[in-house]
Amino acid sequence: MHSRWQGEIDYIHGKNVLSYSAHQAPLKITRPFKGPSGEMIIYLMESSPGLFGGDVQELDCLVGENAHLLLTTQSSCKLHPGMGEATSGQSNLFRVGKDAVLEYFPGPLVPYKDVRYRGNTEVRLQRGAQFLLSEIITPGRAGYGETFEYEMLHSELAIYWEDRLVVWDPLRLEPPKFPPQSVLGGYSHFGNFWCLSEKITAEHVDAVRRVLDSYSNVKPSNSSRSGQEIYGGVSLLEANGLVVRCLGNSGAALEALFHVIWSELRPLLLGMDAFQLRK
């Protein structure tokens, strides 16, 4: 099954406007609404239980000059196996215009047993644009004993400033090739927080590092995992951005950490306070 959403957000007469939207089921969106700082907020929704083997989900979103979109999902993305070795996938294209802002905070990926998955995200930024992204990968349905029982998870992120490639970040996890405790070095969850902006300096990295220092950076033993310990770091990108990478034992803990980081960076970069998204 191929599901798709294509949308365009423009800034017209001082307001963010959804000027174009088309979807192909089971993917659809909520009615857009205005956030506390005037940003447009859109929730992506699935009318199906998730992605099954062979399914492809596609996003094509254009944020026009001076516009501001916060795009998120209703819940986590559940990845179900298909017949044989069928692979599910997501393909995202985000274009962010001059002085525009896109914040994309999808729910965690939850790969079920025997799943094969490929994800690809391409971001194209114009001068003055800003882009924030969080992503979390879980080990599967732990309550069903399906920890690291998926076959393969492969994702790629490519970010361009105009025509210059500044980020290419591939990730490939194949748990069957390793003992479960060594897939992520004894941790169960993996997360990234990306921030691309021409305003980013070493001072923003220091602000994020102070947040990380307030969390436990002690690696848990395989026999005793607290579920709250996080091992993470932050790096300044070669051009106009930073990335935070974290390992943890709880998706909720990583989400809480990323919210704190967002709360630190958003006022500095956008002049706007963070707020709690309703899920």
Side-chain angles (χ1 to χ4, degrees), residues 187-265:
Y187 291 89
S188 60
H189 292 66
F190 174 75
N192 288 326
F193 189 99
W194 296 88
C195 182
L196 276 292
S197 170
E198 294 170 349
K199 299 179 181 180
I200 290 290
T201 67
E203 293 181 1
H204 298 96
V205 173
D206 290 340
V208 174
R209 187 170 288 120
R210 286 192 293 270
V211 173
L212 293 173
D213 287 345
S214 68
Y215 283 72
S216 171
N217 273 326
V218 179
K219 185 175 179 179
S221 66
N222 293 332
S223 60
S224 178
R225 297 177 175 178
S226 70
Q228 298 299 316
E229 294 168 325
I230 293 174
Y231 183 80
V234 55
S235 299
L236 192 66
L237 299 178
E238 180 183 355
N240 306 332
L242 62 80
V243 59
V244 183
R245 298 192 190 276
C246 294
L247 296 170
N249 293 306
S250 163
L254 287 182
E255 286 185 301
L257 169 61
F258 288 166
H259 187 272
V260 175
I261 292 172
W262 185 47
S263 299
E264 286 289 323
L265 293 178

Side-chain angles (χ1 to χ4, degrees), residues 8-164:
E8 181 175 344
I9 292 81
D10 291 305
Y11 192 70
I12 302 174
H13 302 307
K15 295 182 179 179
N16 293 292
V17 177
L18 180 62
S19 54
Y20 177 81
S21 180
H23 75 272
Q24 181 173 325
L27 184 63
K28 58 183 180 178
I29 64 170
T30 60
R31 183 176 179 178
F33 61 96
K34 184 172 70 173
S37 299
E39 64 274 70
M40 175 176 287
I41 301 176
I42 293 178
Y43 281 79
L44 296 163
M45 299 189 301
E46 283 272 359
S47 57
S48 68
L51 291 178
F52 289 79
D55 288 350
V56 176
Q57 183 184 95
E58 182 181 354
L59 301 179
D60 184 348
C61 181
L62 171 62
V63 184
E65 183 174 345
N66 293 314
H68 186 171
L69 171 66
L70 193 157
L71 184 65
T72 186
T73 58
Q74 187 180 33
S75 62
S76 60
C77 180
K78 300 171 182 64
L79 305 176
H80 302 261
M83 298 295 292
E85 295 187 352
T87 301
S88 59
Q90 290 180 301
S91 179
N92 304 323
L93 173 61
F94 298 119
R95 292 163 289 164
V96 189
K98 180 182 176 183
D99 298 323
V101 178
L102 172 60
E103 301 174 274
Y104 179 45
F105 303 136
L109 282 178
V110 185
Y112 288 14
K113 183 179 179 180
D114 299 328
V115 154
R116 299 178 64 83
Y117 168 85
R118 288 183 180 273
N120 178 72
T121 297
E122 179 179 323
V123 184
R124 291 191 171 269
L125 306 171
Q126 298 298 313
R127 189 174 70 254
Q130 299 187 79
F131 174 69
L132 288 83
L133 164 70
S134 68
E135 48 190 357
I136 295 173
I137 299 173
T138 74
R141 296 188 298 177
Y144 285 78
E146 293 182 4
T147 301
F148 295 120
E149 293 195 8
Y150 55 90
E151 288 293 318
M152 181 273 289
L153 190 150
H154 182 94
S155 69
E156 292 184 11
L157 171 66
I159 302 177
Y160 295 81
W161 278 106
E162 297 182 329
D163 293 325
R164 180 190 175 193

